[in-house]
Amino acid sequence: MMFVLSSVSFMNLGTDFVLKPIFLHGISSLIHILLIIAILVSSVWRKFTVVNESKEKPNNTLFKVTKFSSFGFSSFNFVLFLLNYFYWYTSGWSEEKVVTLFDLALKTVAWCVVCVCFYKGFLFFFSSGQRKRRFPFFFRAWCVFFLFVSCYCFVVDIVVLYENHIELTVQCLVSDVGSFCVGLFFCYVGYCVKNESEESDSTFQEPLLNGDTHIGNGNVNPLELKETKGSDTVTPFSTAGILSLLTFTWVGPLIAFGYKKNLDLEDVPQLDSGDSVVGAFPIFREKLEADCGAVNRVTTLKLVKSLIISGWKEILFTAFLALLNTFASYVGPYLIDSFVQYLDGKRLYENQGYVLVSAFFFAKLVECLTQRHWFFRLQQLGLRTRALLVTMIYSKALTLSGQSRQCHTSGEIINFMTVDAERVGSFSWYMHDLWLVALQVTLALLILYKNLGLASIAAFVATIIVMLANVPLGSLQEKFQNKLMESKDTRMKTTSEILRNMRILKLQGWEMKFLSKITALRDAEQGWLKKFLYTNAVTTFVFWGAPTFVSVVTFGTCMLIGIPLESGKILSALATFRILQEPIYNLPDVISMIAQTKVSLDRIASFLRLDDLQSDVVEKLPPGSSDTAIEVVDGNFSWELSLPSPTLQNINLKVSHGMKVAVCGTVGSGKSTLLSCVLGEVPKISGVLKVCGTKAYVAQSPWIQSGKIEDNILFGENMVRERYEKVLEACSLKKDLEILSFGDQTVIGERGINLSGGQKQRIQIARALYQDADIYLFDDPFSAVDAHTGSHLFKECLLGVLSSKTVVYVTHQVEFLPTADLILVMKDGKVTQSGKYADLLNIGTDFMELVGAHREALSTLESLDGGKACNEISTSEQEVKEANKDEQNGKADDKGEPQGQLVQEEEREKGKVGFSVYWKYITTAYGGSLVPFILFAQILFQALQIGSNYWMAWATPISAEVEPPVEGTTLIEVYVGFAIGSSLCILVRALLLVTVGYKTATILFNKMHLCIFRAPMSFFDSTPSGRILNRASTDQSAVDTDIPYQIGSFAFSIIQLLGIIAVMSQVAWQVFIVFIPVIAVSIWYQRYYLPSARELSRLGGVCKAPIIQHFAETISGTSTIRSFDQQSRFHETNMKLTDGYSRPKFNIAAAMEWLCFRLDMLSSITFAFSLIFLISIPPGIINPGLAGLAVTYGLNLNMIQAWVIWNLCNLENKIISVERILQYTTIPSEPPLVLEEENRPDSSWPAYGEVDIQNLQVRYAPHLPLVLRGLTCTFNGGLKTGIVGRTGSGKSTLIQTLFRLVEPTAGEVIIDRINISTIGLHDLRSRLSIIPQDPTMFEGTVRSNLDPLEEYTDEQIWEALDKCQLGDEVRKKEGKLDSSVSENGENWSMGQRQLVCLGRVLLKKSKILVLDEATASVDTATDNLIQQTLRQHFTDSTVITIAHRITSVLDSDMVLLLDQGLIEEYDSPTTLLEDKSSSFAKLVAEYTMRSNSNF
């Protein structure tokens, strides 16, 4: 018995001694002595053993910070030592004081030594060998021990000394807090930072110092340390260890790298094979096809099933994390009541407080970890889903049949990819929310039942009511969202059509009319947007008011049924309601997201179900297996199977290998359709079609990809230099490439915008020749080039390079017919005659029509030329002269020209998003006057919320024994008052926010579109339309619906955070001791993270445009791609581009979680500290109810803190959309459309139509060479002038200058004594008329195509149609003038479109008419008809013709011959023809020779 007693008393004595300051300072001194000895031993050891030690110092920001920290801590201890020494010197000494001083002195010395070691780079602090940037094991272990001791001292200071009411010196407390912070920091650097440095060594190997770098003993070749690009490595995520994955340390190197320099795409590592669409797509497609049989039998359900199967691992893993997270989040509310009772003095067992704190802290850690990984994995899954769907849509677009293509315009198909696939990807965030709501509500009710008994049923009912209120709102939102999407589709479709044809709109002066069309479409869209946003505002009101409503109902029920309200239980209930708020608040989002996703999935599935090309149209025979190349037996084909008469009827055709087949006929007779049949593009009704061998196709309107000229010609084949040169020679491209600054490396703008029509066509022919196919199909490619080039191409390509190949060519030029082995004459979809040239001349009536027209034209030529055919001129002599002329024209001049590509990389802002962007956004609507009201409403809401909770905590007793301070009815009345006030604040805030956001979106939209439509043509030439469309769709969407909420969220979360800090510090101001350093570290982290996040986000924006552009190009060129069998290559390019977009997105998600994880840890530490503080205070000092309130708010601290930072970063990422839109509101504009009255020409101007050009010099951009190099000439009024010259000689540029699409660099153009640069653009363009090179029609009606400005009556329109021979064609159609025209006028043939352009000119009746290769795509008969019409109706007008058919300029009064931007000859055709040495005479001779010869 005595033994037990003595051992107990000894234990007490031991416990007392362990808690004494003398013991604590003794331990501290001991560990510092240990450190000093270790450093000394280590330095002596190294002196004797290490001979050649590297003097390299670690060059890492954090290690620099450790150097300063150790020096600072040493100085801090020295100051304390001096203060204590003088203080105690006067008041006397004791054993304890001596030990304390000794401890301070040792700390000063030890940390000073540590600082010196850091400064000298002494290797004791870094592991040897390769891993130079980490503390050794001993020092890290010492830091942990030091942290443990400091922590222990700190807790003892507060707990023991407060409880025993012993006076504690401030110096001790300050010293212990300092030690704790330093210990924490060094542990962090020792254990967390090392990995980042190691990994950054492996991912971004940069020499650490600029001097000689020694590693180990040997010197290293500096080349070996060359920085490896991030894009060469796979993301560290795929190889990271468990700790690195848990803490997201694997993304650290990228963030560190982005902190040092602006990230570019090549710095971002590649995706893991599982996330890359290249790896994932084949498996996904296989599963989908196995499930549905074929892709075009897919249903929404099966598509969803396949998507789920493709990501089932992530779905299950995230479900598990979500479950854990939900349980962990309810631990806090469950324990609050026990915590309040503990503070009130009801202790159930010893150390209960520490157990409670540990439980709170551990639950918080689990909650943080699971939430971070749950969110990250869902985003990863979302990215993969989006990529799979984009790839699926793309591969479908490659196989669509012609009829299915009619169902959806390219704009709509692009929307499936940019909007719908994106939305399905975003849905991954909301995937688990539905079942989580059920779980969270159940857990909440259990906790409420434990605290409030039966009143929990009332809470349940109230929750259900709130959720039901959501159903009508959800369905309304879905309806509005649907309508919004439809109207957006229509607007985007029109926008993309307008951007494609901007040149025509500018030439005709129609751009403002079409802008008003877009504005009208946007107005319709805004109607739905407004409804959608205001419904959203009401939803916000319902759900922010939800927790208050539920708590009022619950507490009211408690009063009614007599359940006593105690502050602990009330606080537990309030904390539960607050957690419930999240699922209830998210429920409408989830429901509307499910609705939106379903709409998107339905749209995608219905697109995937469209009919593909019939695979059985063409029977493909293996090459060499048959003598016949193409055989058609009784073929009937129709673009639209529903029509009674097929497009092509009774086609019988047999083409042997090596035959040349010419197809001719009038406009709209089915020539192009015949070629499409051979390609397998036209659905077959009946008959047999066999093709033996590979095909190459040249379309009528050239399809060129943006990219280098070389890539366009190679088209996926390998470069064989000899073959390549031969092809360039045959297509006479050598000359053109010499003129271009970068030769065949010149980057072509979108749709070949910086090439002339002839150059595009010749590149297209070169592409076909290079493929070395068996069968060549040419759809009238010679029409877009001049006579000389045309005959050269025919001779070199068809009769030279392709002499042994099968060629089927459509042509309007009769002179190319005699060489054909077989001629097919087509009329109304039938082959009316076939045979050789000579045979057809004897029989054919249809054929005679075509040839007769041609002969008529030739006879004009003969009469002018005096009947002499100049066959004498040898071509070689001509080439020599041309070569000499090049030298004279001064190729040397070019060297001084500024050079550069036309299409520049997309500009992306670098660095921080300027404050000006935020300011412009906030002040756009109403000058920002509503913003203070929004903030005030939110602050008031927060104050009323805190007030109501404070009231409940203060006005309810701690336990049943205590008398309540106020009556029960008063308690509830005041609470209800607070509730109503806060709900009203939310309503006001939501409505004001929506109003401001809506107004801002409208203003920005109008500003941007006005700037785009007023931009000069050079802007459209050098800007791929993908960039503009991206801003008009994705960025505008963000401004419409996301950014107002994002800015609001950020402001509101800050207000909430300040509210929580206020409540916590009101209870225990000491929280600030930890709070201030934690906030400082949080801000530092956020600053460290932002540069990388921002650049990654911008990269995401920049990487999206190429996907859209590639997709748009693919859609417009599907027939060409399919004819060359290049689908798989295009498919791969699309997958690469998609991965390029996913890479920055994946790393943004990881970086976000990297930051949130660290912030969560910091806020958990703050929370734990405040809890420890609360349990350390002796009972009775603080009101337990208010302390409980602080804990209730503290539970949310990490959520709110992460929310603030998340909102800030998200806002930074989203605001980039505003930045990108603002970029396009500052595009330099064209000169004004209309000037003041005094500068406006008379309404009769131009009366004579005289055009005087003086020393005209033109270049397309400041960095490009001159195209026109000083022209001077006069086109007399009322005369016809023909402009001829080789392709690329500056003919089209001259016309563009006349219309001021390009402003002259020098010189001037004067029309009827008015310098055209001094009047408004509309005044100029509306007085001139043009029939452009590419005949363009817009989607709409025949009427809107002829008269978009609605200036003419129906009679005038019919008259114009009759004059241009389209009247009968239009009368046949059901809708007459209102019959529909599809996108790009695709339901009209090329020739008919050209005639519509003629109709526009006839309506306008201008004094000056320009024909830009206007008759290039029609047959000779139609050409003659057009010429005749023009002669008849424009007798007294000045007509300027750019022509390739010599016959069309022969009846001109004057001929201007251009060569390389200079005037070579300018005279009447007769004069020029008389001089046999003139270039014009040679061109005519060439043409006559071509027409008369058989080549």
Side-chain angles (χ1 to χ4, degrees), residues 822-834:
L822 175 65
I823 298 172
L824 304 175
V825 183
M826 295 198 68
K827 190 172 185 181
D828 300 333
K830 299 187 183 95
V831 176
T832 52
Q833 293 163 319
S834 63

Side-chain angles (χ1 to χ4, degrees), residues 522 526 529-530 533-534 916-931 934 991-1009 1035-1045 1047-1048 1215 1217-1219 1221-1222 1225:
R522 170 70 181 174
Q526 272 176 339
L529 177 66
K530 198 170 194 170
L533 290 175
Y534 280 105
S916 63
V917 176
Y918 293 94
W919 186 248
K920 273 183 194 152
Y921 180 80
I922 290 169
T923 54
T924 298
Y926 312 108
S929 56
L930 290 183
V931 175
I934 297 175
L991 292 174
L992 285 178
L993 185 66
V994 164
T995 310
V996 171
Y998 171 77
K999 182 76 175 168
T1000 308
T1002 309
I1003 292 172
L1004 286 177
F1005 178 89
N1006 292 338
K1007 260 191 189 167
M1008 173 172 80
H1009 278 71
D1035 292 326
Q1036 187 62 46
S1037 259
V1039 172
D1040 284 347
T1041 52
D1042 296 350
I1043 294 173
Y1045 291 114
I1047 291 187
I1215 202 79
S1217 287
V1218 176
E1219 180 182 58
I1221 286 178
L1222 287 174
T1225 57

Side-chain angles (χ1 to χ4, degrees), residues 1135-1147:
M1135 294 204 284
K1136 265 199 199 102
L1137 289 171
T1138 308
D1139 275 347
Y1141 173 69
S1142 299
R1143 266 160 57 198
K1145 287 287 187 193
F1146 174 78
N1147 285 290

Side-chain angles (χ1 to χ4, degrees), residues 354-649:
Y354 291 106
V355 170
L356 282 174
V357 170
S358 308
F360 272 124
F361 185 63
F362 180 69
K364 264 283 160 252
L365 286 186
V366 171
E367 188 188 337
C368 294
L369 263 174
T370 49
Q371 192 171 34
R372 298 287 57 94
H373 286 277
W374 165 25
F375 285 178
F376 173 65
R377 297 293 174 150
L378 282 183
Q379 287 183 79
Q380 187 186 358
L381 178 66
L383 273 175
R384 193 167 64 221
T385 307
R386 180 198 157 280
L388 287 173
L389 287 174
V390 165
T391 313
M392 199 74 211
I393 293 165
Y394 183 86
S395 59
K396 179 69 185 181
L398 277 175
T399 60
L400 275 187
S401 68
Q403 195 163 5
S404 305
R405 265 291 277 114
Q406 295 289 320
C407 305
H408 294 285
T409 61
S410 50
E412 285 174 333
I413 299 176
I414 288 171
N415 249 355
F416 290 136
M417 194 175 83
T418 51
V419 179
D420 295 304
E422 192 85 50
R423 180 168 298 127
V424 178
S426 320
F427 175 70
S428 62
W429 273 101
Y430 301 87
M431 191 178 291
H432 300 303
D433 287 13
L434 269 183
W435 63 267
L436 276 180
V437 166
L439 177 67
Q440 285 169 315
V441 170
T442 311
L443 287 176
L445 290 172
L446 289 174
I447 293 175
L448 288 173
Y449 186 74
K450 169 188 169 268
N451 287 321
L452 304 174
L454 288 175
S456 58
I457 295 169
F460 177 65
V461 173
T463 307
I464 296 296
I465 290 171
V466 167
M467 286 183 172
L468 286 177
N470 193 33
V471 176
L473 287 171
S475 61
L476 266 180
Q477 261 180 315
E478 181 192 352
K479 177 185 152 193
F480 295 150
Q481 175 72 33
N482 264 343
K483 295 287 188 189
L484 185 63
M485 285 314 302
E486 280 168 23
S487 47
K488 182 185 239 83
D489 280 354
T490 318
R491 173 173 66 82
M492 286 315 296
K493 179 168 129 185
T494 312
T495 308
S496 75
E497 183 179 45
I498 287 173
L499 290 175
R500 258 201 314 276
N501 301 312
M502 190 51 91
R503 183 175 300 276
I504 308 295
L505 297 184
K506 296 259 180 209
L507 287 169
Q508 303 278 14
W510 291 344
E511 68 269 46
M512 298 325 278
K513 174 70 183 174
F514 278 77
L515 173 59
S516 65
K517 207 168 166 182
I518 293 233
T519 315
L521 288 171
R522 170 70 181 174
D523 288 343
E525 182 187 343
Q526 272 176 339
W528 295 114
L529 177 66
K530 198 170 194 170
K531 288 175 180 161
F532 177 72
L533 290 175
Y534 280 105
T535 318
N536 239 352
V538 176
T539 316
T540 308
F541 162 64
V542 171
F543 289 96
W544 276 94
T548 323
F549 171 70
V550 175
S551 51
V552 165
V553 171
T554 312
F555 298 148
T557 312
C558 288
M559 295 299 301
L560 287 174
I561 57 178
I563 296 172
L565 289 175
E566 296 163 20
S567 55
K569 289 175 176 173
I570 278 197
L571 290 168
S572 177
L574 286 175
T576 310
F577 294 143
R578 178 163 290 125
I579 292 186
L580 254 188
Q581 179 185 356
E582 196 63 26
I584 293 179
Y585 177 58
N586 281 343
L587 195 66
D589 281 0
V590 177
I591 290 173
S592 96
M593 197 62 200
I594 290 174
Q596 291 176 32
T597 308
K598 185 182 177 303
V599 170
S600 289
L601 281 165
D602 286 342
R603 279 161 54 100
I604 292 171
S606 72
F607 176 68
L608 294 178
R609 277 198 302 275
L610 289 176
D611 290 337
D612 287 347
L613 273 185
Q614 288 181 8
S615 51
D616 57 351
V617 172
V618 182
E619 194 181 321
K620 289 183 180 162
L621 306 173
S625 62
S626 160
D627 297 337
T628 313
I630 303 166
E631 183 175 11
V632 188
V633 182
D634 297 333
N636 287 298
F637 302 90
S638 181
W639 285 111
E640 288 193 38
L641 297 171
S642 54
L643 290 180
S645 59
T647 319
L648 292 183
Q649 304 164 33

Side-chain angles (χ1 to χ4, degrees), residues 1383-1454:
E1383 189 180 18
N1384 290 335
E1386 275 168 12
N1387 53 351
W1388 293 62
S1389 80
M1390 197 76 158
Q1392 285 169 327
R1393 283 182 245 168
Q1394 193 68 278
L1395 292 174
V1396 169
C1397 294
L1398 174 63
R1400 288 176 190 155
V1401 171
L1402 290 167
L1403 269 177
K1404 210 169 172 185
K1405 296 197 185 80
S1406 301
K1407 199 69 186 152
I1408 296 178
L1409 169 66
V1410 177
L1411 307 180
D1412 187 358
E1413 305 177 355
T1415 52
S1417 45
V1418 292
D1419 56 88
T1420 318
T1422 315
D1423 180 13
N1424 287 350
L1425 184 146
I1426 291 179
Q1427 295 298 338
Q1428 212 173 327
T1429 313
L1430 293 175
R1431 264 182 233 127
Q1432 203 176 332
H1433 299 286
F1434 288 91
T1435 39
D1436 53 349
S1437 296
T1438 308
V1439 180
I1440 300 169
T1441 313
I1442 291 183
H1444 288 155
R1445 295 188 182 165
I1446 294 297
T1447 47
S1448 53
V1449 291
L1450 284 178
D1451 64 343
S1452 305
D1453 301 303
M1454 299 291 278

Side-chain angles (χ1 to χ4, degrees), residues 207-274:
L208 299 175
L209 295 171
N210 293 338
D212 292 345
T213 309
H214 309 286
I215 290 187
N217 302 337
N219 290 340
V220 172
N221 179 345
L223 289 175
E224 286 173 23
L225 276 172
K226 203 173 83 181
E227 188 177 313
T228 62
K229 283 186 177 168
S231 60
D232 301 340
T233 58
V234 174
T235 172
F237 172 71
S238 44
T239 53
I242 183 80
L243 197 72
S244 177
L245 281 176
L246 267 182
T247 57
F248 293 97
T249 314
W250 56 268
V251 81
L254 186 67
I255 295 173
F257 193 66
Y259 183 65
K260 286 185 216 152
K261 77 174 254 306
N262 278 337
L263 288 177
D264 287 311
L265 192 60
E266 52 265 23
D267 303 321
V268 182
Q270 297 292 346
L271 293 172
D272 182 46
S273 60

Side-chain angles (χ1 to χ4, degrees), residues 132 183 221 376 383 449 1092 1128 1326 1357 1455:
K132 292 231 165 130
N221 179 345
F376 173 65
L383 273 175
Y449 186 74
S1092 315
S1128 58
S1326 61
I1357 295 175
V1455 171

